Amino acid sequence: DQQVKQNSPSLSVQEGRISILNCDYTNSMFDYFLWYKKYPAEGPTFLISISSIKDKNEDGRFTVFLNKSAKHLSLHIVPSQPGDSAVYFCACLSGTYKYIFGTGTRLKVLA
Amino acid sequence: DAGVIQSPRHEVTEMGQEVTLRCKPISGHNSLFWYRQTMMRGLELLIYFNNNVPIDDSGMPEDRFSAKMPNASFSTLKIQPSEPRDSAVYFCASSGGGLRNGKLFFGSGTQLSVL
C-alpha cells in the first residue's frame, strides 16, 4: 500500500516555462516533506523541504507548496532549464527517521 | 569529502548465488540507511542503523536479506540466495546531525541483476 504517490510517471516542459510536479500522501501523521532530484547513474540529492507548519517554501527557482487538508505536495520550478531534466522524488517523514518516498516523476525540459 | 561510496556499481549474478553490497558512509555521519529502488515501488527503506546499531529492519523483505554495520565506516547488505525479483538498484545513504534537515546523502547505488 503506497503511502506516498506520484501519479505522473513523466512530464515534459518547454525551457523557460513552469514545471509542476505533484505528490499525494495518505498518512496525516507525516509532518516533514522533501523533494529529491536524481540524475541517471547517480544517487538522489536533496533539493528542498517543508515543515507541516508552513504551506510554502522557496529556494531560488524552486518552490514547494503543502496543502495539508488535501494531503498534497507540489514542486514548482520556474523557469525550467534543460539541466533540470531528472527524476524527482517526493518524500514524507514518518516519526524521526523513516523517509517514505514516492515512485518518482521523470521531468524532461525541452530546449 | 568523497561522499557515500558504494561498491560494486553493477552486479550481475545467477539465481541462487550470494550477493554482497558494500557501503562506506560519510565520515562522522551516525545514521545509515539501505534503500531499494524499483519502478513499481520507488525507493523503499530496507534497514536503518544509528551509531552502528540496527534500529529498524522492518523493510527487509525476507530472511534472505541481511545487513551489518561492524563499524562506523562500513556496512554490507547481503542477499543469500539471490532471486530474479531482487533485481533493482540498491542505495546506501548516510546522515549526521539530525534527520529533520532532510540531509540524506546517497551513494551512486548498485545496479543488481539476478538472472
Side-chain angles (χ1 to χ4, degrees), chain B:
Chain B
D1 191 340
V4 176
I5 299 173
Q6 289 187 247
S7 64
R9 289 297 304 271
H10 303 274
E11 177 79 41
V12 181
T13 190
E14 292 188 348
M15 183 174 65
Q17 296 298 306
E18 176 180 298
V19 174
T20 300
L21 311 182
R22 296 173 176 79
C23 174
K24 178 176 165 46
I26 292 172
S27 177
H29 282 189
N30 60 352
S31 294
L32 185 137
F33 304 78
W34 282 99
Y35 281 88
R36 177 170 68 176
Q37 183 192 1
T38 61
M39 292 290 290
M40 291 300 295
R41 300 182 67 84
L43 282 159
E44 297 176 277
L45 176 63
L46 299 177
I47 188 167
Y48 162 59
F49 290 89
N50 185 256
N51 291 325
N52 313 339
V53 176
I55 303 298
D56 183 349
D57 65 356
S58 60
M60 297 286 262
E62 298 170 35
D63 291 345
R64 298 183 297 106
F65 285 69
S66 63
K68 292 182 180 178
M69 192 163 187
N71 56 61
S73 59
F74 185 65
S75 177
T76 59
L77 177 68
K78 186 178 290 187
I79 308 172
Q80 165 65 18
S82 57
E83 296 182 4
R85 61 192 165 121
D86 301 331
S87 298
V89 182
Y90 290 80
F91 288 102
C92 174
S94 71
S95 180
L99 291 165
R100 284 190 165 268
N101 60 10
K103 297 295 185 188
L104 284 185
F105 292 84
F106 284 82
S108 297
T110 295
Q111 173 80 59
L112 174 64
S113 297
V114 183
L115 307 176

